[in-house]
Amino acid sequence: DDIAANDSISVLVIRSTGNAFSAGHDLKEIHAHGTNEETVALFQKCSKLMMSVNKLPQPVIASVQGIATAAGCQLVASCDLAVAANEATFGVSGINVGLFCSTPAVALSRNVHAKQAMH
């Protein structure tokens, strides 16, 4: 809300340093250390963040230099523009039990055409 109301901010760039842009949630850590209520609160906070990115009047750019998976990939897809380094990778593989990570599905399906996603 502060960014949206600030007329001196004309663009928001989301980036990180290191090998990863964002790997999303660590489900094993969440399960090991959080209660059900804390887990629900965490995912609600994540959802609020993604909705806030969509609602900002300023353009939001994801500057991706590394891996962006699960909620990290959702964050990139929620931005107005994504600029990816040659080393950037994206994925929605989810957890390692064969389940698809459905969290980013809406943002991805709205922003990435099927043939581009297979590139």
Side-chain angles (χ1 to χ4, degrees), residues 70-110:
C73 191
Q74 179 183 8
L75 178 58
V76 174
S78 296
C79 293
D80 297 303
L81 180 67
V83 179
N86 288 336
E87 301 79 27
T89 57
F90 304 88
V92 290
S93 54
I95 56 177
N96 58 358
V97 294
L99 296 176
F100 171 76
C101 180
S102 61
T103 305
V106 172
L108 282 174
S109 64
R110 289 181 177 165

Side-chain angles (χ1 to χ4, degrees), residues 4 48-58 60 78 80:
K48 184 178 178 183
L49 170 69
M50 301 301 172
M51 299 279 284
S52 295
V53 167
N54 281 321
K55 292 179 181 179
L56 278 176
Q58 298 93 335
V60 182
S78 296
D80 297 303

Side-chain angles (χ1 to χ4, degrees), residues 108-118:
L108 282 174
S109 64
R110 289 181 177 165
N111 290 285
V112 180
H113 298 281
K115 290 182 181 167
Q116 289 174 324
M118 295 174 65

